[in-house]
Amino acid sequence: MIKLVPVILCGGSGTRLWPLSRTGFPKQFLVLSGQNSLFQQAVSRVNSISGNEFQINETLIVTNEEHRFLALDQLRELKEVDARLLLEPVARNTAPALTLAALQANLHGDDPILVVTPADQTVGDESAMTAALRQSVKAAVSGDIVILGIAPDRPETGYGYIHYDGNPTQSGKQNVLQFVEKPDLETAVQYLSSGNYAWNSGMFVLRASTWLKALKKFRPDMLQTVSAAWNSRSDDALFIRPDKALFDKVVGESVDYAVIEQCPGSELNISMIPLAAGWSDLGAWDAVWQTGQHDNDGNMLVGDAFLADSSNTLIYASNRLVSAVGVEDLVIVETADAVLVVDRKQSQQVKKVVAMLEKQGRAEHTLHRKVFRPWGWYDSIDESDRFKVKRIQVKPGASLSLQKHHHRAEHWIVVRGTAEVTCGDEIKLITENQSTYIPLGEVHRLRNPGVIPLEIIEVQSGSYLGEDDIVRLEDAFGRS
């Protein structure tokens, strides 16, 4: 029985899919196809290779503190998956993230095979994906580093490439000659015609000890600093946290730069398993259009959308009707607080918009109007200089922190369910169509004691209405 540990690298921000993807709710947590998010699809996909030959005991999710509750909530919907979350105190790219996973996976000296995948990819043919992963596991048993390579179907300039020798072994694996960076269009055309270049999928299969050995050879400094942070970790039932002060010293670098690109020609054997499974990393809106279902004119419509006399256009409507006439090769994305219109062939450049928003200190690059919290969510419906209106939903049994505000008072109106309200020394229940008032500076808490979601309308009034005007006195989720 071969022991496997799926490793899901879940730390990306997905800025090229703005405005749907935000720093606070990145693309891996979005549902772009089917019923599950890209993250959930990745977890299920890797766990699907279990069977008579393979034993999967625990899936490791490497993410950051900010996204821990998003990942945890989505994992709870996958009843059959046993998972632990490794929380990076700060983002340090994929090589340190994989090192944390390798140290955890090899904690008891089992040296399992790590099946490593980003959390933000999509696959059209799940059975072909499962077969390629199983083939990769068998190749990794002997100590190989195995990478899945995607057969290119167009001269893509947005991916790195794998150059392989074109002489597959009996088991189907290819010898990797070198890795090459994202090419210009002319070079990408040459790669496509040569027939022995594949897109780098970012999916790896290797033993935990193989990764640690490779890192020791090529980046001993990184291994030392990550191990130091790991050895001083805190561990509870839900989260494993490396020491923040020590992890701050880790140099950020990708798996490819730190190790993989240096392996060809070294004593570390690296091979490739070809994958033809309708793969995409959804790196930009053009990739979303390419993987979607089109009408006879090449249009892809999601949500309440209409097109007339248009072609090769994507409309993604989240909240309201979006229509266009006489357009081609456009991407139009609508959310509650932002609209994006971009030439589909220039969709990689959406990151420039995000950079401008960040430079101006605007919240739209970080959060949606609807913000998810570990206890539920809130949606900022309306606001002006002296007031803000929110719709708030609290999960059954959940509660907000015990808190107070220096600059605002709050009015709560229950529209669904039952609320337990702490206001000063008083605790009371209010039900549908009832309301209560929280004076400025008063200690208070909102809790849902019921079995259905609690929904309230909150009206804030005061001189300052920012989210940082919260003084938490007690919090079930460890927030300060």
Side-chain angles (χ1 to χ4, degrees):
M1 185 72 73
I2 302 172
K3 292 185 177 180
L4 306 180
V5 173
V7 177
I8 314 299
L9 302 179
C10 190
S13 58
T15 55
R16 290 178 180 85
L17 290 189
W18 185 89
L20 207 59
S21 175
R22 313 277 175 108
T23 305
F25 200 98
K27 71 173 180 177
Q28 58 264 33
F29 299 112
L30 297 173
V31 179
L32 294 174
S33 62
Q35 300 298 314
N36 291 333
S37 71
L38 297 177
F39 167 66
Q40 290 171 318
Q41 291 177 31
V43 174
S44 297
R45 186 180 304 132
V46 180
N47 275 267
S48 71
I49 67 176
S50 62
N52 294 333
E53 298 176 86
F54 310 117
Q55 176 186 339
I56 296 178
N57 293 326
E58 185 176 64
T59 298
L60 298 179
I61 314 297
V62 188
T63 188
N64 56 50
E65 283 279 344
E66 182 183 0
H67 299 147
R68 66 192 187 278
F69 292 113
L70 285 172
L72 194 61
D73 277 352
Q74 294 199 355
L75 280 171
R76 284 171 177 152
E77 296 177 10
L78 304 176
K79 306 295 185 184
E80 73 284 0
V81 175
D82 179 25
R84 296 288 301 278
L85 276 71
L86 304 171
L87 301 183
E88 299 173 285
V90 289
R92 288 293 184 264
N93 216 317
T94 54
L98 179 53
T99 306
L100 290 175
L103 291 168
Q104 170 66 16
N106 205 30
L107 191 59
H108 302 295
D110 297 335
D111 196 19
I113 292 177
L114 309 180
V115 183
V116 186
T117 180
D120 55 0
Q121 302 180 344
T122 185
V123 169
D125 188 341
E126 295 289 352
S127 61
M129 180 80 240
T130 299
L133 286 174
R134 287 175 174 165
Q135 189 180 1
S136 301
V137 169
K138 292 176 180 178
V141 168
S142 61
D144 275 17
I145 298 174
V146 184
I147 182 169
L148 276 72
I150 311 300
D153 57 7
R154 62 186 184 277
E156 176 62 59
T157 60
Y159 297 146
Y161 283 71
I162 307 165
H163 184 200
Y164 59 95
D165 63 7
N167 298 308
T169 65
Q170 276 192 332
S171 63
K173 66 182 183 180
Q174 298 273 2
N175 183 45
V176 174
L177 301 177
Q178 68 174 140
F179 292 85
V180 289
E181 292 298 312
K182 298 175 181 178
D184 58 28
L185 182 58
E186 182 180 355
T187 305
V189 170
Q190 293 174 3
Y191 289 167
L192 184 64
S193 62
S194 75
N196 61 337
Y197 284 82
W199 293 335
N200 185 344
S201 71
M203 291 184 280
F204 306 91
V205 182
L206 73 173
R207 286 197 179 276
S209 62
T210 300
W211 172 255
L212 297 174
K213 175 184 175 182
L215 198 63
K216 184 177 182 180
K217 175 179 176 59
F218 297 119
R219 290 302 306 270
D221 58 320
M222 183 181 294
L223 179 60
Q224 182 179 4
T225 51
V226 175
S227 296
W230 171 255
N231 291 334
S232 298
R233 68 191 178 279
S234 63
D235 190 344
D236 59 35
L238 298 176
F239 309 120
I240 302 171
R241 291 180 168 92
D243 182 86
K244 184 180 187 305
L246 294 173
F247 201 79
D248 276 339
K249 301 176 182 178
V250 176
V251 176
E253 204 161 274
S254 71
V255 167
D256 298 279
Y257 285 127
V259 169
I260 299 300
E261 293 180 2
Q262 304 183 64
C263 289
S266 75
E267 70 271 21
L268 290 161
N269 192 39
I270 184 162
S271 56
M272 186 195 81
I273 295 294
L275 174 64
W279 171 93
S280 175
D281 74 343
L282 298 180
W285 281 111
D286 183 51
V288 176
W289 174 82
Q290 288 171 357
T291 59
Q293 294 187 349
H294 303 143
D295 63 18
N296 293 335
D297 295 313
N299 298 310
M300 176 183 173
L301 304 179
V302 180
D304 193 4
F306 290 97
L307 276 171
D309 303 323
S310 301
S311 61
N312 301 322
T313 289
L314 164 62
I315 295 183
Y316 199 110
S318 298
N319 292 272
R320 72 203 85 178
L321 169 64
V322 178
S323 57
V325 179
V327 302
E328 62 178 308
D329 294 323
L330 284 186
V331 171
I332 304 170
V333 184
E334 176 271 338
T335 67
D337 61 348
V339 176
L340 169 72
V341 180
V342 61
D343 184 319
R344 185 171 54 77
K345 297 172 184 176
Q346 296 294 318
S347 60
Q348 288 277 351
Q349 303 309 314
V350 170
K351 60 184 179 180
K352 293 181 178 179
V353 176
V354 178
M356 287 188 289
L357 292 171
E358 185 173 10
K359 184 177 180 180
Q360 294 176 15
R362 296 189 56 146
E364 289 93 338
H365 89 280
T366 303
L367 297 172
H368 286 276
R369 199 186 78 175
K370 186 176 184 179
V371 178
F372 288 87
R373 290 289 185 249
W375 43 261
W377 52 260
Y378 68 83
D379 186 359
S380 298
I381 300 170
D382 193 13
E383 64 181 296
S384 188
D385 293 338
R386 302 278 305 182
F387 79 90
K388 181 183 289 187
V389 182
K390 288 182 177 180
R391 180 184 170 199
I392 298 175
Q393 185 180 99
V394 185
K395 301 173 185 176
S399 69
L400 282 66
S401 59
L402 184 68
Q403 59 185 248
K404 64 180 180 179
H405 311 292
H406 291 306
H407 303 287
R408 71 177 187 245
E410 296 174 343
H411 299 258
W412 295 345
I413 305 166
V414 175
V415 295
R416 184 184 182 210
T418 299
E420 180 188 279
V421 177
T422 299
C423 186
D425 295 329
E426 181 184 9
I427 300 177
K428 61 182 178 181
L429 294 177
I430 60 174
T431 58
E432 188 172 323
N433 296 325
Q434 294 181 329
S435 63
T436 192
Y437 169 63
I438 309 296
L440 186 151
E442 186 66 86
V443 174
H444 61 279
R445 191 201 303 266
L446 176 65
R447 190 175 83 86
N448 180 3
V451 295
I452 64 171
L454 164 67
E455 289 192 21
I456 71 167
I457 301 299
E458 176 182 86
V459 180
Q460 303 175 1
S461 59
S463 59
Y464 178 72
L465 305 171
E467 291 301 316
D468 54 350
D469 182 24
I470 300 177
V471 179
R472 291 190 177 94
L473 306 175
E474 292 178 10
D475 185 64
F477 306 103
R479 298 170 298 172
S480 58

